[in-house]
Amino acid sequence: MATLGVLWATVMIPLAAHGGFVCDDWMVLSHAAEHPTWWADYRSWFPLFAARPLAPVLLATTSTLLPGLPAAYIVIHLLLLGSAMAIVGLIWRRFFGLGAAAGFFILATFPSVASTLVFSPGMQQLASAAYLIWAISMYLTVAAAEANPLRRRIGLATAAAVLLLLGLILYEIFLPLLLIQWAVPLAIRLEKAESNRGESARTFASVSRRDAAFWAVMIAVPVVIAAILQKWVFPAFAPDMSRLQFGGPGMAIRAVAYWFTAVLVQLPLLWADGISRLTQGWDWLTLTAAAAFLVALFYYLRSCLYEARPGDSFGQAACLHEPASRRGCEPDQAARLLRITCWVAAGSSIFLFVLSNAYAAVFGYDNRKLSSFWTACALAVSAYLGRNPSAFCRGGITSGGVIFFCVFILNTTSFLIQRNNYLLSWHMQQTILEDLASSLPPDHGRPITVLAAVPPVVPGNYNDECVFTRPWDIGNAARMRTGGRIRDAAPIYPWLIRQDRVRFSSDAVTIDDLWTAKYEEGFWLFGWRPAGAKVRPMTGRFLGMPLLPAYRYRKPDAVMTWIPIDSQERLQSALSDWFAHQGHEEEMSRSAVVTQTAAEWFRERFLGKPANDCRKGTEKPRERGR
């Protein structure tokens, strides 16, 4: 569908042309800058990627070929991710038609629930490459299921299994989607049974059991091999850095609780907040492209999916472009199997967090971990655009179409707001680094260490679109921008202090037990904040909505300060003075505030631990010894 391509290009071209890096991406650039040869760059990633040795191959290759070029990273990343979802869409078209394939592609590549999968082109190229490997493996699985000679079938299935193993030791993020890969050959078997009316029920049941066992083994073998490699083989040569780190029953319960909170609380809050900010995401050009896509999809479904037959109601009509075996009014068992499996796969993503001792979140950089959940949901929702004789249908508008329309509007609105905020994030990162580098204090011939009181998120924060939130983003960025005059840096902001993630001792400050700086000569506090409350894009507006996607911003007027730090009292006093003039209302997204407040209430009520009020401002950092 031409309108699909136009919509996708309208949304992604501003990102490719004016987007940049975020959070972990700075690690990729730093490794390349400090290790100029491919082999040195590859080795520098160990032991961080000791359990996934294919990951440094991709990181070292792209960072060696594309040093510091955001647009190149973004284009390659989008091509990998888009190719993966296009291949899966082709498979979906085989079962549900072109409309379902187009619907899946647009939902999967606009993942509002897992947005940093798209907006982190440096590090998340691992995820996009892993999804592409999985998509090719799934395509080979379909080819194997349809192959007639047994030798060819086994060959294709073996190739699919090998690709799965490679994908798992690159990035195992697609693990829940293997349920769908297992169900696809069974759906093909059901189709064959429907076309072969002469096949007995006993024969069909026997063949189906054999197929289910065959494909279960084909998928389980690479998963088991990958687990053995990550937990027993690779740790023999380097520290165990596998994500398979089960934390016990207590941590498993917490992971389950956070997953349900993310899906049932954070996601509705995110989408509801997005509807209240329509003009912050949509522009007239994108709105026109989206309307054209929806109209084309509606007319395609009306004219191509259904053909009225004498004596049939419109909702019981057959599909023009379906194979003969799929025509008729009986429920489509293959489609029903795939729909159910997609929802089960989405739910099974909970085990990624249970087995890796991690927490699910829709907000912030960590939402990338929900990408398999969202991909499964996109498959399930788009499947309802396909033939479903039991669905409600009036005048060409089906219940599946209504569901897709609602999800499309909510999801796309949310994704566009986040895209615009990440474009603003890159603009602010560049401005902060430029101001920092141009105003460095005298270093007396030695590199300095900087504690940077800079905005953690963008003005108009929607889903915690980060600016600088971790030591390895601003630390690497500042060191590269100043040519090594800044030795190390870390961000600090009230949220960190309120959550007790900052420790002030008599001789040093520690953040998240990951970054420590001693009070000594060469240790400075750098403060930076926009002078105005809002940073508006440079674009014309009509009826309150921008004419074009927001991508250009004026350089904001900023307030800056440099304060030398030689004691705990000096640091706490400087932070108190700086944060006293800074608002905190945009420091956390609504879903983050609700989740944090609930977690603190639970800690205080049931665990007897003191709660930290995440909504309260920080008048003065609390003293706390080591």
Side-chain angles (χ1 to χ4, degrees), residues 109-151:
T109 54
F110 295 172
S112 65
V113 178
S115 59
T116 48
L117 171 68
V118 173
F119 300 129
S120 176
M123 190 62 74
Q124 288 309 303
Q125 62 181 304
L126 298 178
S128 58
Y131 276 118
L132 179 58
I133 292 174
W134 166 72
I136 296 173
S137 174
M138 191 169 172
Y139 188 86
L140 292 178
T141 299
V142 173
E146 295 179 326
N148 289 324
L150 182 60
R151 179 179 300 178

Side-chain angles (χ1 to χ4, degrees), residues 282-535:
W282 289 95
D283 57 88
W284 285 105
L285 179 62
T286 307
L287 184 63
T288 302
F293 168 73
L294 291 174
V295 170
L297 182 64
F298 169 76
Y299 278 103
Y300 172 80
L301 294 176
R302 180 165 183 166
S303 63
C304 295
L305 285 181
Y306 299 105
E307 178 187 28
R309 299 177 304 176
D312 287 341
S313 67
F314 190 79
Q316 294 177 318
C319 176
L320 279 171
H321 296 293
E322 297 287 353
S325 61
R326 300 280 300 279
R327 297 186 180 179
C329 302
E330 297 179 3
D332 191 333
Q333 299 297 329
R336 178 177 298 175
L337 170 65
L338 291 177
R339 291 189 187 101
I340 293 174
T341 305
C342 287
W343 290 119
V344 173
S348 70
S349 67
I350 195 173
F351 292 106
L352 280 179
F353 301 93
V354 171
L355 296 177
S356 63
N357 194 22
Y359 301 146
V362 168
F363 53 86
Y365 187 74
D366 286 339
N367 71 9
R368 68 194 188 279
K369 301 173 185 176
L370 285 168
S371 60
S372 58
F373 162 80
W374 180 248
T375 302
C377 289
L379 286 168
V381 171
S382 62
Y384 289 100
L385 292 175
R387 180 175 177 270
N388 186 13
S390 61
F392 166 83
C393 182
R394 288 293 184 273
I397 301 177
T398 65
S399 56
V402 172
I403 293 172
F404 175 81
F405 174 80
C406 293
V407 173
F408 171 82
I409 294 298
L410 294 170
N411 176 72
T412 306
T413 300
S414 177
F415 182 81
L416 289 172
I417 297 172
Q418 293 178 69
R419 181 205 61 180
N420 291 347
N421 277 356
Y422 275 108
L423 291 176
L424 175 57
S425 168
W426 178 240
H427 173 74
M428 291 187 64
Q429 289 179 60
Q430 295 297 94
T431 302
I432 291 170
L433 293 173
E434 179 182 339
D435 289 346
L436 183 148
S438 64
S439 64
L440 280 175
D443 56 16
H444 304 292
R446 59 180 294 184
I448 64 174
T449 300
V450 175
L451 188 62
V454 297
V457 296
V458 298
N461 175 30
Y462 168 64
N463 196 34
D464 289 352
E465 295 86 5
C466 57
V467 179
F468 288 121
T469 58
R470 303 181 184 185
W472 52 85
D473 55 19
I474 195 170
N476 288 317
R479 185 168 54 254
M480 293 171 60
R481 180 60 65 94
T482 61
R485 292 180 64 191
I486 291 180
R487 175 180 52 214
D488 200 5
I492 188 167
Y493 39 95
W495 182 1
L496 284 178
I497 301 171
R498 291 197 297 271
Q499 291 185 315
D500 279 337
R501 292 163 59 187
V502 182
R503 284 208 309 267
F504 300 96
S505 65
S506 59
D507 62 341
V509 58
T510 301
I511 298 177
D512 284 334
D513 291 324
L514 296 173
W515 187 90
T516 300
K518 292 187 175 182
Y519 312 128
E520 58 186 6
E521 184 180 359
F523 180 35
W524 292 78
L525 174 67
F526 171 70
W528 187 100
R529 64 170 176 263
K534 294 186 179 295
V535 182

Side-chain angles (χ1 to χ4, degrees), residues 46-98:
F46 290 88
L48 181 60
F49 285 109
R52 297 186 284 151
L54 285 186
V57 173
L58 181 59
L59 294 176
T61 301
T62 54
S63 60
T64 300
L65 296 176
L66 311 169
L69 299 175
Y73 276 91
I74 295 171
V75 168
I76 291 176
H77 178 53
L78 292 178
L79 286 176
L80 290 173
L81 183 63
S83 298
M85 299 311 169
I87 292 173
V88 178
L90 287 176
I91 297 171
W92 226 229
R93 178 182 181 179
R94 184 203 179 287
F95 293 99
F96 300 102
L98 179 60

